Amino acid sequence: MAVTDKAITAIKQMIVDGSIGPGDRLPPEKELSESLGLSRNSLREAVKALELIRVLDVRQGDGTYVTSLEPSVLLEALGFVVELHRDSSVLELFAVRRVLEPQAVELACDRLDAATLDELDRIMAGLDESTDVETLVSADIAFHRIINAACGNAYMSSLLDGIAHATVRGRVWRGITETGAVAKTLDEHRAILDALRARRRDLARSWAMVHVSGAEMWLTHAALTGNEDVPLRASTEAMP
């Protein structure tokens, strides 16, 4: 094992065994390198690597801290990975979303309280077929983020949130080019919300599957028919 890998493993073990925890400051570099039996150079490289994947937070002039280690923080690295992929990456992300999101909606069905359901109603209010596509996609992201956050699985909801932002361009392009896409999206949102209010887990899951699959099928068809304008590369930019 490379020396830097040993340093990474040692710091990880300190977190796992509880020697340091979320929000804790690491010991000074000299002290830590001596206690771990590692060179200061290898320790610095390990800290850089763990900072990249959001395990550590280096604060200039203050020291190095363990992050909150919340799923939403750790999965920020997903955006970096997604940005490196080209070609069919958006289609692959839609496929992942198709597997996970219906499950998340079903899990959220019994957990969403009346106030949160009302918030979903407010997101839908004022949206109609004349709504511009970017506004619709922003509302779509907010709508699904609220539902997914109630699924009871922080990793699942954070992963879905990352996928939502990574597929923004494809969803905007669908809204621009597919006749009736806006009306279809709104109808599917209302069907999902109606099922959630009725506490019908089966219907909520089914409508979520229809909703995600529709976008995936459109993008797949567009790619197969050779539409060069279709954005098949993932985007890590959030909607404004």
Side-chain angles (χ1 to χ4, degrees), residues 17-45:
D17 65 22
S19 300
I20 52 175
D24 288 346
R25 180 178 176 177
L26 267 63
E29 184 181 274
K30 184 175 184 298
E31 178 185 333
L32 184 58
S33 63
E34 290 176 352
S35 68
L36 296 177
L38 299 165
S39 71
R40 296 175 73 170
N41 282 338
S42 62
L43 183 61
R44 289 188 195 113
E45 292 302 315

Side-chain angles (χ1 to χ4, degrees), residues 174-194:
R174 180 198 182 200
I176 292 172
T177 60
E178 184 185 23
T179 302
V182 173
K184 186 182 300 182
T185 297
L186 294 176
D187 287 343
E188 290 165 356
H189 277 191
R190 293 188 182 101
I192 292 170
L193 184 53
D194 287 345

Side-chain angles (χ1 to χ4, degrees), residues 69-72 74-75 100 151-160:
L69 300 180
E70 290 291 329
S72 58
L74 297 178
L75 287 173
L100 293 181
C151 76
N153 186 317
Y155 287 95
M156 184 184 290
S157 60
S158 296
L159 182 57
L160 284 167

Side-chain angles (χ1 to χ4, degrees), residues 11 26 42-52 56 58 64:
I11 295 172
L26 267 63
S42 62
L43 183 61
R44 289 188 195 113
E45 292 302 315
V47 168
K48 288 178 184 177
L50 291 170
E51 182 184 23
L52 181 63
L56 297 179
V58 179
T64 300

Side-chain angles (χ1 to χ4, degrees), residues 143-157:
F143 182 87
H144 290 290
R145 180 188 295 122
I146 290 170
I147 296 173
N148 294 336
C151 76
N153 186 317
Y155 287 95
M156 184 184 290
S157 60

Side-chain angles (χ1 to χ4, degrees), residues 5-18:
D5 290 339
K6 290 181 179 178
I8 292 172
T9 300
I11 295 172
K12 181 181 73 173
Q13 189 57 45
M14 291 174 66
I15 296 172
V16 170
D17 65 22

